[in-house]
Amino acid sequence: MDARPDNRNIQRFGFLLLPNFALMSFASASEPLRAANLLAGRELYEIALFSVDGAAVISSSGLPMPCRALAAGGEACHTLFVCVGGGLRDWRAAEPAFPLLRRLARQGVRIGGISSGAYVLAAAGLLERRDFTIHWEHAALLKEAFPHLAPRQARYVLDGDRITCAGGVAPLDMMHALIGERMGGDFARRVSDWYLHTGLAQPEAAQRSAAAERFGTHHPALLTVLEKMEATIEQPLDRQTMARLAGISPRHLDRLFAQHMRLGFLDTYRAIRLAHGRRLVEQSPLSIAEIAYATGFSSAGHFSRCFSELYDMSPHALRQKAGKNQSP
C-alpha cells in the first residue's frame, strides 16, 4: 500500500521562471504534480510561479505566464526550481535573485535547476562540490564559464538538497522519482501512466541519441573516431593518432570516411568543432578569439574564415543576430 501523508502536509513546489523558459520543460515538471493531486483525491502538492520582480514572464513560445515575486513566497517552498531556456542574456535576469536563492538554500529550501537552470545555480554559487547535470547544448558554455565544475550528461541528478534536470521531457522521469520518494513507487507509476509515460528512463540515461544515430553509421572503428572527435574539440588529434585509437591504419580510416560519411576526416572534424563554436558564439560572452582557442583553431581569423564558409555568416554577424532574437 502507498504511504499517504497527512492532508495538512502539502508540499509547495515553486518555479522561478526566467525569460524564454521552455514550456515543455516546465510542463513536464509541473503537470505530474497536478496529476498526483487529482489521483490522490486531495492536495498533495501546491504549485507556485515566481519571477524575479513579480512581473509576468514570456515563455519561449511567446505565452505570458503570470507570476509573483520570489521574495513574496519563496521561503514557503519545499522545492524551488529555476526554470530556464533561452541563452545567457535571459539567464542574467536571475542575477538580482542570487542573494535570495542563497538565503533560501541556507533555510532548507531544496533548490533545483531545469534545462539550463544549472547555469544559474552555478552563477549563484549553489553548485560548489555538487553532482549535477545541464542540457547538453549548454554544457560547453557552463564548463567554459566555470571550469572547476563538471556537469554530468545525465537526464537528471538528485544530490541531496540540489536537483538538476536536463529539460525537455526528462522532468517526467525526475518527477516520477520525486513523487515516488514521497508517495511510493506504485503511486508514482499511476502518475506516469496518466501521461502514457510508460518508458521511464534512469537518471544516468543519455540526453542525446547514440553516436551511431547522430552520424548515420554503425561501423565500430568509425564510431570510435567520431566520438573521440567530439571529446577533443579544444585540442584536436591528428589522423595517425585517431587511427591508432581505432586499431586501424590511417589509410583505412580515410577509406571509412569516404564510404560512410558525407565529408572526409578533416572536414568532419572541423564541422564538429565549428558546431561547438557556433553554440559558444550564440550563448557565451567569450570573445571570438577565446572561442577560436576553445575549438582548436590557431587564430580568430582562421576560425572566422572556416565558420563563414560553413554557415555563410561570420561569427560576429551570428552573434548580433542571436542578440536581437533574445531581445525583449
Side-chain angles (χ1 to χ4, degrees):
M1 180 177 292
D2 290 317
R4 300 287 182 171
D6 185 272
N7 284 344
R8 295 167 296 176
N9 186 19
I10 299 172
Q11 290 185 354
R12 171 184 280 191
F13 274 65
F15 293 85
L16 176 60
L17 305 180
L18 294 183
N20 286 312
F21 72 94
L23 274 178
M24 177 172 283
S25 298
F26 168 68
S28 295
S30 59
E31 281 294 292
L33 301 173
R34 181 186 67 84
N37 290 342
L38 184 65
L39 293 171
R42 62 180 182 274
E43 193 173 16
L44 304 174
Y45 303 101
E46 178 186 356
I47 299 172
L49 305 185
F50 300 104
S51 63
V52 173
D53 57 4
V57 180
I58 308 298
S59 74
S60 57
S61 60
L63 181 70
M65 195 71 72
C67 299
R68 51 180 154 163
L70 181 61
E75 73 285 347
C77 290
H78 173 275
T79 300
L80 176 68
F81 284 114
V82 179
C83 196
V84 194
L88 187 62
R89 180 170 180 165
D90 301 312
W91 310 341
R92 284 176 171 162
E95 289 179 358
F98 286 177
L100 178 54
L101 288 173
R102 289 191 287 266
R103 178 163 62 82
L104 293 176
R106 291 194 299 269
Q107 292 174 346
V109 176
R110 186 166 58 173
I111 305 292
I114 296 176
S115 189
S116 49
Y119 187 99
V120 174
L121 300 190
L126 294 172
L127 290 181
E128 300 298 317
R129 297 178 296 279
R130 295 285 187 160
D131 191 16
F132 71 98
T133 189
I134 191 171
H135 190 284
W136 63 266
E137 185 180 18
H138 305 303
L141 175 56
L142 187 143
K143 287 186 283 189
E144 290 288 343
F146 309 101
H148 64 293
L149 298 180
R152 282 204 287 131
Q153 283 298 292
R155 294 177 70 83
Y156 66 91
V157 175
L158 309 181
D159 185 8
D161 57 359
R162 294 292 181 276
I163 305 172
T164 48
C165 180
V169 297
L172 288 172
D173 301 310
M174 176 184 69
M175 298 313 294
H176 177 93
L178 295 180
I179 292 171
E181 280 181 353
R182 184 185 186 205
M183 299 296 295
D186 290 342
F187 185 81
R189 171 60 70 179
R190 288 175 60 199
V191 173
S192 293
D193 284 349
W194 185 264
Y195 292 107
L196 313 185
H197 183 50
T198 57
L200 289 166
Q202 294 300 309
E204 65 276 5
Q207 292 185 16
R208 306 174 68 186
S209 56
E213 297 175 3
R214 296 201 307 276
F215 291 108
T217 180
H218 292 275
H219 194 287
L222 193 54
L223 286 174
T224 296
V225 171
L226 292 167
E227 289 172 345
K228 194 65 175 178
M229 285 178 171
E230 291 184 319
T232 55
I233 288 174
E234 186 171 342
Q235 295 181 322
L237 302 177
D238 58 36
R239 180 186 281 98
Q240 288 73 21
T241 301
M242 285 290 201
R244 186 167 59 251
L245 289 171
I248 58 177
S249 69
R251 181 173 295 180
H252 185 42
L253 179 61
D254 286 335
R255 284 199 296 267
L256 289 177
F257 270 91
Q259 292 169 4
H260 298 277
M261 301 297 293
R262 183 174 59 87
L263 301 173
F265 174 88
L266 289 177
D267 288 338
T268 298
Y269 209 166
R270 185 180 297 116
I272 289 172
R273 290 157 51 208
L274 287 170
H276 177 73
R278 178 170 185 147
R279 288 193 289 272
L280 293 178
V281 168
E282 291 179 313
Q283 300 172 11
S284 81
L286 297 176
S287 69
I288 301 304
E290 289 171 326
I291 293 173
Y293 176 79
T295 50
F297 287 87
S298 57
S299 67
H302 185 207
F303 170 76
S304 295
R305 285 192 298 274
C306 293
F307 190 98
S308 299
E309 289 174 5
L310 182 62
Y311 295 116
D312 294 323
M313 179 183 294
S314 72
H316 292 286
L318 178 63
R319 175 160 281 178
Q320 290 178 344
K321 181 180 178 182
K324 291 178 181 177
N325 288 343
Q326 293 177 15
S327 297

